[in-house]
Amino acid sequence: MSTLRRSGRPVPVRGLDVLPAGQRVAVHRIDGGQHSPLAADHTHDFFVLTYVADAPPGSPVRAGDLLVVAPGDLVGATALGIAEHDWRSLSGWAVLFDADLLGAQPATSPLAWGTHPLLAPFVGGRSPGIARLSVPPEARPAWTARVEALEAELAERRSGYHAAAVAHLTLLLVEVARLADADGRIVADLQDNREPLLGEVFAVIERRYAEPLSLRGVARAVGRSPGHLTTRVRERTGRTVLEWITERRMMEARRLLATTDAPVAAIGAAVGVPDPGYFARLFRREHGVSPAAWRDRAAGPASAEDHSGRIAAISAAASGP
């Protein structure tokens, strides 16, 4: 488990490598009085669904809340604005999983989230904080039953438990997609998820987002006209090609801001935006704060001792050969 620094304090970065070999999903019960380690601010390198079964009156986190936590999001009592006495009254579950369980390839690429209907609710591009959905009161018993069924499979480890766990996780994520998708687009994609062109577009962006890249360049790479590509991508994802290029650049910028002390200008150059002024304006437009302010609020600067190698790599990438 590595650490970041936030306001001068170490912030743990938790990974799924603590799980048994081959197990890429886990369920943790949240009991403020018993599971105190979850109260400390931390971040993850995996996906988390936090379902709040019960919370005290007046708490910023309420019963029925579903927190959709993408890799890198900061969580914990302080990050969520929960007082110590309120935290000790919370109960629920945290479901932890890796994208490769769902066949998302490449699992480590954030753009894979947007193309996979069950991971689309985790797509970022927001200011510090995590996405929050609300499970209707009438659906909460079913949610509790689903999470407990997944928890039981993982605890009992009977024959075929891994396949059963993946099935339970998939059903949970279908419900998340339905809650997050008011117009039904994601659910429709679950029924007809055949869009090879999107895969080609995102593969190009993934390979080349750190370079000068335009709509015309992506269109040329996939053999389509810019107009056709714009229309198709917007219809299927709700975003334009240029918005997806920006999304990927901002994802990497957020990661570098949180995990290194590299200068903001060097980070901009490393993600394909070499003009420092334009990078700052673009980041502020997308997140509502400057890159430096995001770094302070989201994770704080990492120590030079821990990240000097990464800083050197970023500076080298920014300066070019």
Side-chain angles (χ1 to χ4, degrees):
M1 179 172 65
S2 59
T3 62
L4 307 178
R5 289 194 174 274
R6 182 175 186 270
S7 301
R9 297 178 293 106
V11 177
V13 181
R14 298 174 176 170
L16 280 173
D17 54 354
V18 299
L19 297 180
Q23 182 173 311
R24 310 302 290 170
V25 59
V27 176
H28 290 173
R29 287 204 174 230
I30 298 174
D31 181 341
Q34 300 295 325
H35 209 135
S36 57
L38 287 178
D41 284 355
H42 59 282
T43 187
H44 313 94
D45 62 5
F46 48 87
F47 296 84
V48 182
L49 289 175
T50 298
Y51 175 56
V52 179
D54 194 25
S59 169
V61 177
R62 299 177 294 275
D65 274 358
L66 182 65
L67 308 180
V68 181
V69 185
D73 283 344
L74 191 67
V75 294
T78 302
L80 295 174
I82 303 174
E84 179 68 21
H85 63 277
D86 285 340
W87 179 266
R88 294 188 177 278
S89 300
L90 288 180
S91 64
W93 295 266
V95 179
L96 295 54
F97 68 96
D98 216 350
D100 58 4
L101 279 176
L102 305 173
Q105 297 294 333
T108 56
S109 169
L111 285 183
W113 313 346
T115 59
H116 195 294
L118 296 183
L119 295 179
F122 293 88
V123 173
R126 55 192 181 271
S127 58
I130 59 180
R132 183 181 308 201
L133 303 171
S134 180
V135 177
E138 64 274 14
R140 293 173 192 171
W143 266 87
T144 296
R146 288 189 182 96
V147 178
E148 287 181 334
L150 173 58
E151 183 181 35
E153 286 291 347
L154 294 172
E156 297 169 10
R157 298 173 68 88
R158 294 175 294 174
S159 176
Y161 83 95
H162 187 268
V166 172
H168 285 302
L169 174 64
T170 300
L171 288 173
L172 280 173
L173 292 174
V174 168
E175 291 303 316
V176 175
R178 288 170 174 165
L179 285 174
D181 185 36
D183 62 7
R185 178 178 56 82
I186 294 175
V187 177
D189 281 351
L190 287 173
Q191 299 169 346
D192 184 16
N193 188 29
R194 296 186 295 273
E195 192 66 47
L197 178 59
L198 288 184
E200 294 176 29
V201 168
F202 287 121
V204 172
I205 295 174
E206 183 64 28
R207 290 195 308 268
R208 297 173 52 187
Y209 71 88
E211 310 168 5
L213 185 61
S214 65
L215 165 63
R216 189 172 298 278
V218 176
R220 186 182 305 113
V222 300
R224 300 291 196 281
S225 71
H228 172 81
L229 197 62
T230 294
T231 300
R232 193 61 179 162
V233 172
R234 184 188 287 118
E235 284 178 350
R236 299 301 290 166
T237 71
R239 299 187 183 190
T240 67
V241 174
L242 289 178
E243 286 172 335
W244 278 112
I245 294 172
T246 298
E247 171 72 11
R248 184 61 183 100
R249 286 171 169 164
M250 294 299 100
M251 286 178 180
E252 181 64 5
R254 293 193 302 271
R255 185 186 72 81
L256 294 175
L257 286 166
T259 61
T260 80
D261 281 327
V264 169
I267 289 175
V271 301
V273 189
D275 182 329
Y278 178 64
F279 174 67
R281 291 193 299 273
L282 182 63
F283 193 94
R284 181 180 291 275
R285 186 190 77 190
E286 295 295 314
H287 301 86
V289 295
S290 69
W294 193 95
R295 170 179 268 165
D296 289 341
R297 289 169 55 184
S303 69
E305 178 182 353
D306 291 340
H307 302 296
S308 59
R310 298 184 194 178
I311 296 168
I314 292 169
S315 297
S319 60

